[in-house]
Amino acid sequence: ATLKKIGRLSWEQAHFDTEQQIRQPIHPMLSALHDFIRSSATKIEHGILDEAAYAAARLGGGSAIFCKSGKDRTAMQVTFKQAQFINRFMKSGGNGFSEGETDADRIFSDATTMRVYGTRLPICDKNVGQPLYAFNSLQARFMPDPLKPPARTLAGFLKGGRVFTGGAIES
């Protein structure tokens, strides 16, 4: 039987008609995530994942970062998260959950330092024989800014998937 409108909303109206939906208050711990989602509804934003991870951590949740070999994509995300944690830890006075704005430039600088001088490049060297991330400049160009590797750490690729060797890095 079809639902008739007798002082009530049909299922479709209640779930799809945003004008009729009741606005629920957003918990203060989730307001930044809510704002981010609403402001980026028509585009893909890495920041939504980042804000969701931060909200989960504030609510006592954990996270895991994984790619099949644990080198390139993992390295970009791990160093970004480490840099964020350092920034929040320093701003919070030790509890890791600073309520103020994070310093995006400082986070990017710290992540870049870890990507060049940290433990991630030796992992790449062990896995593929070169201390370089297996991205080429075209791939790096389309990565979200927080996850872009430093240009001097890009390996680049030849046809067939062979990695450049002998210092020949694609520009």
Side-chain angles (χ1 to χ4, degrees), residues 3 9 24 26 57 112 124:
L3 294 175
L9 298 175
Q24 295 290 325
I26 303 299
T112 298
C124 292

Side-chain angles (χ1 to χ4, degrees), residues 29-74:
M29 292 178 98
L30 300 175
S31 63
L33 175 60
H34 179 262
D35 293 342
F36 211 114
I37 291 169
R38 291 188 59 81
S39 70
S40 61
T42 60
K43 55 190 173 205
I44 297 172
E45 286 283 342
H46 175 265
I48 290 175
L49 297 174
D50 189 43
E51 196 60 49
Y54 183 56
R58 290 179 63 203
L59 294 168
S63 66
I65 299 168
F66 177 76
C67 83
K68 65 182 179 179
S69 62
K71 25 181 229 306
D72 310 307
R73 289 170 292 202
T74 303

Side-chain angles (χ1 to χ4, degrees), residues 6-169:
I6 309 175
R8 292 185 176 204
L9 298 175
S10 70
W11 185 90
E12 290 84 7
Q13 288 172 321
H15 290 86
F16 298 111
D17 187 358
T18 57
E19 296 296 320
Q20 297 293 327
Q21 288 182 3
I22 298 170
R23 300 285 177 206
Q24 295 290 325
I26 303 299
H27 191 282
M29 292 178 98
L30 300 175
S31 63
L33 175 60
H34 179 262
D35 293 342
F36 211 114
I37 291 169
R38 291 188 59 81
S39 70
S40 61
T42 60
K43 55 190 173 205
I44 297 172
E45 286 283 342
H46 175 265
I48 290 175
L49 297 174
D50 189 43
E51 196 60 49
Y54 183 56
R58 290 179 63 203
L59 294 168
S63 66
I65 299 168
F66 177 76
C67 83
K68 65 182 179 179
S69 62
K71 25 181 229 306
D72 310 307
R73 289 170 292 202
T74 303
M76 297 304 107
Q77 187 68 12
V78 165
T79 52
F80 177 64
K81 289 297 183 190
Q82 288 172 327
Q84 279 184 318
F85 181 80
I86 291 167
N87 186 270
R88 288 185 178 127
F89 186 82
M90 297 305 285
K91 285 187 173 222
S92 70
N95 73 9
F97 294 110
S98 173
E99 294 301 320
E101 288 290 314
T102 56
D103 183 351
D105 292 335
R106 182 65 192 194
I107 290 171
F108 185 72
S109 173
D110 290 345
T112 298
T113 300
M114 286 186 268
R115 290 169 183 163
V116 174
Y117 300 108
T119 61
R120 289 315 194 160
L121 282 177
I123 292 170
C124 292
D125 188 26
K126 181 179 176 185
N127 286 342
V128 296
Q130 278 190 300
L132 299 169
Y133 299 114
F135 301 114
N136 61 40
S137 59
L138 181 63
Q139 290 170 318
R141 202 170 294 149
F142 290 100
M143 293 172 78
D145 286 337
L147 303 181
K148 285 184 181 178
R152 67 183 182 202
T153 64
L154 298 176
F157 286 94
L158 294 171
K159 251 185 178 173
R162 277 192 356 237
V163 176
F164 282 116
T165 57
I169 297 181

